[in-house]
Amino acid sequence: MAIFNIVKELHRIIRGAIGTTIMVAVSPTYLLIHTTWRLISLPLPWKYFYKGDDFLWGSYQKVIIFFFEHTTGAEIFISGDIPKEKENVILICNHQCTMDWIVTDVLSIRQNMVGNLRYVFKDSIKYMPLYGYVFGVHGGVFVRRDGLYNERNMKKVLNGLIQSEVDMYFVIFPEGTRFSEKREKLLQKSQAYAIENDLRPLNQVLTPRIKAFHCAITSMRKYVDAVYDATIIYDEKDRPKTASVRPSAPNMWRFLVSSSPQIYIRFDRIVMDKIPCSSQKTTMSWLHSRFERKNSLLCRHFSIEELKEEEDCIAGVVTKYRRQIDDGEDLRDGTLSTLSITHTLPSAFFYITATAALWCHSMGRKIYVGALLGGSIATVTYAKAFF
């Protein structure tokens, strides 16, 4: 039995290492193809560049989904109905770990919109070699978390996308940073911010920040059809179910080597007309109510009590709010959602084959290394200058 467990552990580590290596190794190949398309499309209006860019972005994201969903055997349970038809949307999610970015892939591919994903990123992401450049050119918005939020820049990017008539699946993590029960000072600051704004402090999510979300819904109110609200919960099938204990959310590596990963998602669609946007304060109240619901769903899933007594003190903040878990929805009652491997395998095969073909010839190896090294320098320089 001990030998069997060791073999299983080695298998998971090897599986994760191979997946990680391939996902990183094909990125210079993607950059070469992407750069070629950008050069070809220079004489064309931007909307034609975005058509090809969306196709290429979607093809690479399918490689990511292949390894994170199909090779891990992850079970994905979804409560709520994802529309079958494409539409322009803003997606808001709770933020716990780097895996949250993968979950947006998982959701969007089920609506055939994985190539249309665009994000609000923290500013430092743009300095990631290769990736930061692609994120920015694809229509991503980079914002700073130190109070120097640039609304003019965000509106400029969004207006450019609207004028180019792109299909929009715009992702925002309103908490601004990742929640973790271990980050007590961050939780304390978040709850203090809620109290200062007459909002109920939360203990399983951070108080959402309003600026980027308010800018997005006011700039794209006539362009997007709805806001999607996704609550994400990570678990493992063989995890001991200890009451009142929420396990730490997995990073990408931990998920790849998990033995029985599970993702529970509550999906809601809210039409734009139902979202108040006359002021940041009214929008904040609406957005906070959505995160109160997320907080309740997380508490219920892990059997954690919400703040309920005047004397409750979480992370050093004394609250005066009364609320308890009710017998409402449990995300474990969601429907198991399976994705056919035919959605992801062709892209994985193409990028692996194309990368291998480059390495089979001396000139190809030089081109690949040039894209990796020279491309890293060029993309970081471009991002610093233009994003």
Side-chain angles (χ1 to χ4, degrees):
M1 182 62 69
I3 295 176
F4 178 71
N5 289 335
I6 292 173
V7 171
K8 285 179 62 178
E9 183 70 19
L10 285 173
H11 172 262
R12 291 197 300 269
I13 292 173
I14 293 170
R15 182 188 69 198
I18 291 174
T20 301
T21 300
I22 291 175
M23 286 185 282
V24 173
V26 302
S27 58
T29 306
Y30 173 81
L31 181 66
L32 286 169
I33 298 171
H34 185 274
T35 303
T36 301
W37 168 241
R38 189 166 191 195
L39 292 173
I40 291 172
S41 64
L42 280 176
L44 305 175
W46 272 100
K47 67 178 182 179
Y48 295 108
F49 163 74
Y50 281 123
K51 291 288 185 184
D53 179 54
D54 284 3
F55 174 80
L56 293 175
W57 175 262
S59 67
Y60 180 71
Q61 293 308 307
K62 289 174 183 178
V63 179
I64 306 298
I65 299 170
F66 172 77
F67 286 104
F68 278 96
E69 182 168 351
H70 286 128
T71 67
T72 62
E75 293 182 332
I76 299 169
F77 298 89
I78 300 177
S79 303
D81 297 321
I82 298 176
K84 295 181 180 179
E85 301 298 325
K86 296 178 70 170
E87 59 179 345
N88 293 324
V89 300
I90 298 170
L91 172 68
I92 56 173
C93 309
N94 56 312
H95 196 16
Q96 310 161 73
C97 58
T98 53
M99 268 302 300
D100 297 336
W101 302 101
I102 308 302
V103 174
T104 64
D105 284 346
V106 167
L107 283 171
S108 60
I109 197 172
R110 283 161 168 77
Q111 201 175 344
N112 194 30
M113 293 194 72
V114 69
N116 311 124
L117 280 169
R118 291 169 174 89
Y119 307 89
V120 174
F121 298 100
K122 63 181 181 180
D123 192 64
S124 60
I125 295 293
K126 69 185 181 185
Y127 298 113
M128 289 180 62
L130 308 184
Y131 291 95
Y133 161 79
V134 174
F135 291 154
V137 171
H138 188 61
V141 177
F142 299 98
V143 297
R144 299 181 66 168
R145 297 188 304 192
D146 57 5
L148 298 177
Y149 165 71
N150 191 334
E151 182 177 358
R152 180 182 298 180
N153 179 65
M154 183 169 181
K155 286 184 175 181
K156 179 182 177 181
V157 174
L158 295 178
N159 289 333
L161 294 171
I162 292 170
Q163 291 173 9
S164 297
E165 302 175 350
V166 302
D167 292 328
M168 185 77 73
Y169 202 104
F170 193 69
V171 180
I172 302 176
F173 295 104
E175 292 162 285
T177 190
R178 287 170 281 178
F179 170 91
S180 172
E181 290 182 320
K182 296 178 181 178
R183 303 172 73 181
E184 293 186 1
K185 289 184 178 179
L186 177 64
L187 184 55
Q188 178 181 359
K189 182 179 178 180
S190 171
Q191 293 177 335
Y193 176 77
I195 294 172
E196 290 170 5
N197 288 275
D198 297 322
L199 301 169
R200 187 172 73 88
L202 309 170
N203 62 342
Q204 295 302 310
V205 294
L206 300 176
T207 304
R209 302 305 172 110
I210 190 60
K211 290 182 179 179
F213 178 71
H214 186 261
C215 180
I217 64 169
T218 53
S219 299
M220 300 191 290
R221 192 166 186 84
K222 294 182 180 180
Y223 191 72
V224 303
D225 302 294
V227 168
Y228 292 171
D229 181 7
T231 301
I232 307 167
I233 297 177
Y234 299 98
D235 212 336
E236 288 201 38
K237 189 174 183 180
D238 56 3
R239 177 184 67 85
K241 300 301 186 284
T242 305
S244 303
V245 175
R246 177 182 175 181
S248 59
N251 57 29
M252 292 182 184
W253 171 255
R254 273 185 54 201
F255 193 90
L256 282 173
V257 299
S258 295
S259 59
S260 54
Q262 295 179 321
I263 304 175
Y264 294 88
I265 303 169
R266 172 64 210 184
F267 178 90
D268 292 296
R269 180 185 184 275
I270 305 102
V271 296
M272 288 298 296
D273 292 342
K274 292 186 178 181
I275 303 172
C277 67
S278 57
S279 68
Q280 286 193 5
K281 186 174 182 179
T282 57
T283 306
M284 178 185 286
S285 179
W286 178 88
L287 183 61
H288 190 269
S289 70
R290 301 305 306 182
F291 273 75
E292 284 189 77
R293 187 162 186 266
K294 296 177 187 295
N295 197 78
S296 295
L297 289 169
L298 283 155
C299 286
R300 189 173 299 118
H301 185 89
F302 295 112
S303 301
I304 299 171
E305 287 195 1
E306 297 188 70
L307 307 184
K308 63 179 181 178
E309 300 292 346
E310 284 192 5
E311 294 77 18
D312 271 351
C313 180
I314 303 296
V317 176
V318 178
T319 74
K320 58 180 180 180
Y321 299 86
R322 179 181 295 273
R323 184 179 176 95
Q324 297 188 36
I325 297 177
D326 55 32
D327 294 325
E329 180 181 8
D330 190 327
L331 296 195
R332 281 168 290 210
D333 297 329
T335 302
L336 179 63
S337 176
T338 57
L339 180 72
S340 172
I341 198 171
T342 58
H343 286 87
T344 61
L345 183 58
S347 288
F349 178 79
F350 169 78
Y351 279 101
I352 293 171
T353 303
T355 303
L358 285 172
W359 275 95
C360 284
H361 303 279
S362 59
M363 181 58 68
R365 288 192 292 273
K366 292 178 181 178
I367 293 173
Y368 179 92
V369 173
L372 177 60
L373 301 180
S376 296
I377 297 171
T379 53
V380 170
T381 303
Y382 186 97
K384 183 174 178 62
F386 294 103
F387 298 147

